[in-house]
């Protein structure tokens, strides 16, 4: 007795499923090919803008492209650093088109009379190379408007890994933006290469688990849906001379879970005969000066001044002083979320003028290259 003939409808459905799978695989292969052929480093709009306030202090503003996310139009992520203040302020815009004006977010600084100072605002201009920032005065009540000019253009770095089929699978994406430094000398050229190399290494580490979603589904024989993990790093220039450079890097890992996922790092470099190398904090201070414990002691009143809830936490053995940047007038030490306070309290940054550290700083070596 012969087997019954297959149901024509089921056979036809199977063929359509096979065709759909083949088309999906072909489309995915094309997207992978296109992604692999795209250079990881691309020009980006925005830039690093500089100017000076009415007191002559250097002002840095950084505009980074922000992903649209749930918004219909992409905007800016902006950071403002005012020399000597330590803490940077930030804003997010809903558009990149002129005109826009935004107020900065930062730790509130109350006056002795309990009043808050005028807010800091950033505004676009008709020129993409100029911004206007309104800054509260440091020594008196009121505000002043400062014109900022673009010093460096920005570039972006992007690496995407993983497989997504509809709403199944997962991807890891590493994104970074940083200034393209004018290659006026060998040190600046080496810095541009070093930043890209660091992004390559960071992307390789972050994307190394991109296929763990699929391995889990195969192991558990269960569909887990779609996961999209992202890591964003934005480099802000703090100091650039012919032989010393310092960057403040804000990063955010969108990998799920509650809490504060922001992180700050300091990237500091010094020129060598063959290019450059990393600069460590210990190189700046005299041996036998007890500089590390002395810095912790001097951090306490500064942390109190910026309303840190538990300044004495800097003496905890797990709290390091290894996250720092250098600027034209001083040294900044960063305490990341959860280091000395809760994640909700955010980060805390203290600034030391070089004159405050003159009894600890070396007179030779890298310390003599600081712009004192």
């Amino acid at each position: 007795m012969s087997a019954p003939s297959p149901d024509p409808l089921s056979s036809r459905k199977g063929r359509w499923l096979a065709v759909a799978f083949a088309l999906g695989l072909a489309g995915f292969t094309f997207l992978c090919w296109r992604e692999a052929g795209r250079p990881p480093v691309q020009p980006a709009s925005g830039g690093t803008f500089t100017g000076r306030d009415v007191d002559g202090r250097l002002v840095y503003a950084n505009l980074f492209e922000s992903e649209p996310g749930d918004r219909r139009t992409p905007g800016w992520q902006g950071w403002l650093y005012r020399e000597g203040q330590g803490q940077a302020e930030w804003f997010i815009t809903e558009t990149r088109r002129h005109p826009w004006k935004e107020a900065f977010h930062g730790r509130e600084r109350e006056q002795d009379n309990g009043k808050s100072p005028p807010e800091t605002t950033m505004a676009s201009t008709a020129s993409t190379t100029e911004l206007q920032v309104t800054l509260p005065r440091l020594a008196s009540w009121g505000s002043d408007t400062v014109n900022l000019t673009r010093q460096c253009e920005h570039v972006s770095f992007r690496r995407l890994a993983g497989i997504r089929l509809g709403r199944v699978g997962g991807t890891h994406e590493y994104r970074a933006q940083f200034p393209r430094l004018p290659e006026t000398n060998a040190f600046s050229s080496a810095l541009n290469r070093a930043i890209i190399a660091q992004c390559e290494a960071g992307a390789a580490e972050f994307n190394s688990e991109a296929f763990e979603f699929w391995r889990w589904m195969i192991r558990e024989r269960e569909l887990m849906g779609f996961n999209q993990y992202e890591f964003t790093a934005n480099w802000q220039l703090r100091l650039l001379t012919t032989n010393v450079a310092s960057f403040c890097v804000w990063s955010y890992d969108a990998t799920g879970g509650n809490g504060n996922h922001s992180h700050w790092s300091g990237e500091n470099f010094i020129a060598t005969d063959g290019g450059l190398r990393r600069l460590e904090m210990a190189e700046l201070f005299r041996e036998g000066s007890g500089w590390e414990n002395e810095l912790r002691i001097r951090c306490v009143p500064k942390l109190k001044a910026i309303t840190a809830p538990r300044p004495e936490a800097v003496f905890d053995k797990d709290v390091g002083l290894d996250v720092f940047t250098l600027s034209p007038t001083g040294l900044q030490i960063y305490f990341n979320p959860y280091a000395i306070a809760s994640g909700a309290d955010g980060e805390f940054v203290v600034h030391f003028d070089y004159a405050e550290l003159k009894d600890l700083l070396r007179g030779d070596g890298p310390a003599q290259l600081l712009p004192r």
Side-chain angles (χ1 to χ4, degrees):
M1 183 176 179
S2 61
S5 301
D7 182 3
L9 183 61
S10 299
S11 178
R12 192 179 305 116
K13 183 178 180 181
R15 286 197 298 268
W16 278 113
L17 287 174
V19 170
F21 178 79
L23 290 174
L25 183 61
F28 172 72
T29 302
F30 169 76
L31 291 175
C32 289
W33 171 81
R34 186 182 66 173
E35 184 68 29
R38 180 181 297 162
V41 180
Q42 298 280 346
S45 51
T48 299
F49 298 75
T50 61
R52 292 190 179 273
D53 64 14
V54 293
D55 298 318
R57 292 173 176 264
L58 189 65
V59 178
Y60 272 112
N62 296 268
L63 283 186
F64 300 103
E65 295 177 352
S66 64
E67 293 297 316
D70 295 330
R71 299 194 301 267
R72 294 184 179 180
T73 57
W76 296 114
Q77 183 195 71
W79 292 95
L80 181 78
Y81 175 72
R82 195 173 185 181
E83 182 60 45
Q85 296 301 293
Q87 190 83 25
E89 299 175 276
W90 61 276
F91 68 84
I92 295 288
T93 73
E94 296 293 329
T95 181
R96 294 180 196 163
R97 294 183 179 179
H98 172 72
W100 53 262
K101 182 178 181 180
E102 293 290 338
F104 282 87
H105 304 279
R107 189 157 285 113
E108 293 293 334
R109 300 184 300 271
E110 288 190 353
Q111 304 291 329
D112 293 337
N113 56 11
K115 295 182 179 179
S116 296
E119 65 180 5
T120 304
T121 60
M122 180 75 75
S124 63
T125 68
S127 172
T128 59
T129 61
E130 295 181 352
L131 295 172
Q132 282 191 338
V133 58
T134 301
L135 299 167
R137 296 171 185 166
L138 298 177
S140 61
W141 192 260
S143 300
D144 298 288
T145 299
V146 179
N147 295 319
L148 306 178
T149 304
R150 188 167 67 187
Q151 178 186 14
C152 299
E153 296 180 344
H154 282 177
V155 294
S156 66
F157 178 96
R158 178 174 178 264
R159 286 289 192 196
L160 179 65
I163 297 177
R164 170 184 177 179
L165 296 177
R167 299 300 299 175
V168 177
T171 59
H172 281 218
E173 184 176 8
Y174 181 99
R175 295 194 301 264
Q177 294 178 67
F178 46 88
R180 178 192 285 124
L181 303 177
E183 299 196 358
T184 54
N185 54 50
F187 182 50
S188 294
S189 300
L191 282 168
N192 286 329
R193 296 192 299 270
I195 294 173
I196 294 174
Q198 184 158 329
C199 290
E200 291 277 8
E205 179 180 359
F206 183 73
N207 293 348
S208 62
E209 298 295 327
F211 293 94
E212 183 58 33
F213 307 117
W214 290 92
R215 286 193 287 267
W216 184 92
M217 286 189 290
I218 293 173
R219 185 170 60 249
E220 301 295 328
R221 298 181 181 181
E222 180 181 343
L223 294 178
M224 67 178 298
F226 174 65
N227 288 275
Q228 184 176 3
Y229 288 174
E230 298 175 350
F231 183 92
T232 302
N234 291 335
W235 292 58
Q236 304 172 41
L237 184 63
R238 287 288 184 268
L239 176 67
L240 178 63
T241 69
T242 57
N243 41 34
V244 178
S246 184
F247 300 87
C248 172
V249 183
W250 171 87
S251 60
Y252 188 89
D253 64 286
T255 54
N258 297 323
N260 190 336
H261 290 244
S262 295
H263 183 82
W264 296 86
S265 62
E267 302 295 337
N268 306 285
F269 304 93
I270 186 170
T272 64
D273 292 337
L276 56 78
R277 65 173 177 83
R278 288 188 173 276
L279 176 64
E280 304 296 334
M281 182 183 283
E283 299 180 75
L284 303 175
F285 297 99
R286 292 185 291 104
E287 293 185 11
S289 63
W291 63 269
E292 185 170 355
N293 187 64
E294 189 61 34
L295 277 183
R296 294 179 189 274
I297 294 172
R298 299 182 190 187
C299 278
V300 171
K302 290 181 176 289
L303 287 170
K304 288 181 179 179
I306 57 176
T307 66
R310 196 166 68 90
E312 294 78 11
V314 296
F315 295 107
D316 293 351
K317 63 180 182 179
D318 296 330
V319 176
L321 300 179
D322 53 335
V323 182
F324 73 100
T325 55
L326 301 167
S327 72
T329 66
L331 166 77
Q332 299 80 44
I333 300 177
Y334 297 75
F335 298 98
N336 273 296
Y338 305 104
I340 62 171
S342 69
D345 290 313
E347 78 285 351
F348 291 89
V349 187
V350 297
H351 172 90
F352 289 99
D353 286 340
Y354 292 128
E356 296 180 82
L357 305 174
K358 63 182 180 180
D359 60 321
L360 303 175
L361 290 170
R362 293 178 56 172
D364 59 354
Q368 68 179 344
L369 304 176
L370 299 178
R372 287 180 282 172

